Amino acid sequence: MKDLEGIKILDFTHVQSGPTCTQLLAWFGADVIKVERPGVGDATRGQLRDIPDVDSLYFTMLNHNKRSVTLNSKSEKGKEILTKFIEECDVMVENFAPGALDRMGFPWERIQEINPRMIYASIKGFGPGAYEDCKVYENVAQCAGGAASTTGMLGSVPTVTGAQIGDSGTGLHLALGIVTALFHREKSGRGQRVTAAMQDGVLNLCRVKLRDQQRLASGALREYSQFGDGIPFGDATPRAGNDSGGGQPGRILRCKGWESDPDSYTYFITQAAVWGNICDVIGKPEWAEDEKFATPDARLPRLNEVFETIEAWTMTKTKFEVMEICNPLNIPVGPILSMKELAEDPSLRKTETVVEVDHPQRGSYLSVGCPIKLSDSVVEVERSPLLGEHTEEILQEVVGLSEDEIAEAKKAGAI
């Protein structure tokens, strides 16, 4: 039995943030019914296509294990069918622009009237306040949530990260909220409203930078490179390049082959507990006892010298050789892995973190599998649905429409 088997989710989400949430729930066994516009579907079906006239990878990789039903929820007949869906489902998820469902005639109060056990979950760009009606995309969320202002090199422009922390990150937050609300319903018997704002989600993932904002009141952030460079701090958390965000200084360093390979780099952390091992590896055993380098506090003003010396050593090794030498000595390092290297990594294939999926139109493709592993619940990644592939099946099984009623709905343009 799947963990969420028996839970029906009415999925009105599109693009990335919402589909990330509902895909995760589908992987754990929920029956996710993706509601799409007849003849159009989720916009990402046609975005960034690599093969003409088939669903894009953008769509397929965010909509595994779901069923698709087409429904014109703005028509009167469509609203009747939507009402029946709300009566029968456990969760409704949407990431429309603010007020869209209200204008459709289905505000939270109406949904509660139809089904008091319904959990209504939403992703919006901002929470209540000055920006609550603003439309948000991934990079806007990163900028508004504190990620961009603290990412990049000191003195350079703010930078967004390649990780989709605004869209997918908020989707993961919402999934936790939905599961929590389902657990609460077991005790209360009632559904509730669950909201996740993208700005809030990004800020949650940037909490160490909010930590540093408060530390500035007590003086310079000594683990930041600019401290060793003698550059004064301002009144806001600065951009810190590739400095470690924790208490153990770290940087990205060049490795053998960096001149021709853009990813021949390693991340090297000078953890205090293994400083002696680091000194031995880089050929500076005397630093272990030298008062200018022996303690973390002594090293902070000299981090440039420390990492330049370490880099002189890493440049004689490949990024994988650095790992092979450092890991047995408990020195924390990690290679900069390209997407090509990750796609071909046998260990990720073995754990099904990277999976190969067959699709009836586009053939075989790679996708990210479920990142959460449960000992008693194996996730099987199934292909994304074709547009409206399960419409009749869902209308019969979930809503209870007869063949004649389905034909009537088609004639009325509701499905």
Side-chain angles (χ1 to χ4, degrees):
M1 179 178 177
K2 300 288 186 180
D3 298 275
L4 296 179
E5 189 173 323
I7 298 297
K8 291 184 175 64
I9 296 179
L10 194 58
D11 182 6
F12 271 97
T13 69
H14 57 288
V15 190
Q16 186 177 170
S17 61
T20 296
C21 167
T22 53
Q23 177 173 256
L24 190 61
L25 300 174
W27 276 337
F28 290 134
D31 181 9
V32 175
I33 300 167
K34 187 174 180 68
V35 182
E36 303 185 76
R37 289 182 296 164
V40 180
D42 189 318
T44 58
R45 286 185 183 271
Q47 290 180 354
L48 305 177
R49 277 183 170 145
D50 57 315
I51 302 174
D53 303 321
V54 301
D55 289 337
S56 72
L57 290 168
Y58 196 5
F59 176 84
T60 60
M61 293 175 69
L62 287 162
N63 289 282
H64 293 118
N65 295 61
K66 303 177 185 180
R67 297 196 288 172
S68 172
V69 60
T70 54
L71 179 67
N72 178 7
S73 55
K74 295 182 180 179
S75 71
E76 289 306 312
K77 189 65 178 177
K79 289 180 180 180
E80 289 180 22
I81 294 173
L82 176 53
T83 300
K84 292 181 179 179
F85 269 124
I86 294 172
E87 290 173 351
E88 297 298 326
C89 291
D90 299 280
V91 182
M92 182 175 182
V93 191
E94 58 91 11
N95 62 336
F96 291 127
L101 272 178
D102 292 12
R103 292 189 293 273
M104 238 183 265
F106 292 92
W108 166 232
E109 294 75 18
R110 174 63 181 143
I111 292 171
Q112 279 188 305
E113 290 175 5
I114 298 170
N115 181 359
R117 289 177 57 82
M118 170 66 79
I119 292 161
Y120 175 32
S122 304
I123 287 179
K124 294 292 178 276
F126 296 93
Y131 308 119
E132 62 183 302
D133 293 327
C134 296
K135 184 179 288 187
V136 173
Y137 282 83
E138 167 66 42
N139 288 349
V140 175
Q142 289 194 31
C143 292
S149 69
T150 56
T151 302
M153 304 307 291
L154 183 67
S156 69
V157 297
T159 305
V160 296
T161 174
Q164 305 293 283
I165 61 175
D167 276 323
S168 288
T170 307
L172 297 175
H173 284 96
L174 188 69
L176 175 59
I178 289 170
V179 173
T180 302
L182 284 168
F183 184 75
H184 181 271
R185 193 181 69 175
E186 292 298 305
K187 296 178 285 185
S188 69
R190 291 189 60 80
Q192 59 181 305
R193 184 83 184 265
V194 181
T195 59
M198 293 171 71
Q199 182 187 43
D200 298 359
V202 171
L203 181 56
N204 182 46
L205 298 175
C206 292
R207 64 178 60 208
V208 298
K209 299 301 182 180
L210 183 59
R211 171 204 68 193
D212 292 348
Q213 177 63 41
Q214 297 169 87
R215 291 173 59 220
L216 278 172
S218 300
L221 304 174
R222 291 166 54 85
E223 77 279 10
Y224 279 52
S225 296
Q226 73 179 83
F227 172 72
D229 291 337
I231 300 172
F233 284 80
D235 60 0
T237 305
R239 291 184 274 287
N242 293 311
D243 292 349
S244 171
Q248 309 290 340
R251 292 189 192 174
I252 289 179
L253 306 177
R254 291 173 290 178
C255 293
K256 186 177 181 180
W258 68 272
E259 299 93 340
S260 57
D261 181 354
D263 296 306
S264 282
Y265 291 82
T266 188
Y267 201 91
F268 198 110
I269 295 177
T270 56
Q271 185 183 15
V274 292
W275 175 243
N277 291 345
I278 294 171
C279 294
D280 290 339
V281 162
I282 65 174
K284 288 287 186 178
E286 67 275 14
W287 278 7
E289 303 297 333
D290 189 329
E291 63 180 15
K292 293 187 296 185
F293 298 97
T295 66
D297 282 345
R299 289 192 292 274
L300 288 176
R302 300 174 176 83
L303 287 180
N304 286 341
E305 181 181 356
V306 168
F307 282 110
E308 286 169 5
T309 304
I310 296 173
E311 187 174 55
W313 175 78
T314 61
M315 289 172 63
T316 67
K317 313 292 180 189
T318 68
K319 60 188 179 184
F320 297 110
E321 288 172 341
V322 171
M323 279 193 73
E324 290 169 2
I325 293 169
C326 290
N327 281 343
L329 300 173
N330 291 321
I331 301 171
V333 297
I336 308 305
L337 297 178
S338 68
M339 279 297 152
K340 182 177 185 296
E341 289 169 320
L342 290 167
E344 298 170 352
D345 190 312
S347 63
L348 295 179
R349 296 293 187 97
K350 185 176 181 180
T351 61
E352 297 189 340
T353 298
V354 174
V355 294
E356 193 167 318
V357 183
D358 290 320
H359 189 278
Q361 293 181 338
R362 67 173 301 117
S364 178
Y365 66 92
L366 289 185
S367 186
V368 177
C370 184
I372 303 167
K373 319 296 184 185
L374 300 180
S375 61
D376 291 349
S377 307
V378 178
V379 172
E380 296 176 3
V381 177
E382 301 172 2
R383 69 166 176 86
S384 59
L386 303 178
L387 178 60
E389 180 178 353
H390 307 96
T391 297
E392 293 191 16
E393 170 187 308
I394 290 169
L395 292 177
Q396 289 175 338
E397 290 180 8
V398 179
V399 179
L401 296 188
S402 66
E403 291 184 4
D404 289 342
E405 288 171 320
I406 293 173
E408 181 184 340
K410 283 182 181 178
K411 187 176 179 180
I415 60 174

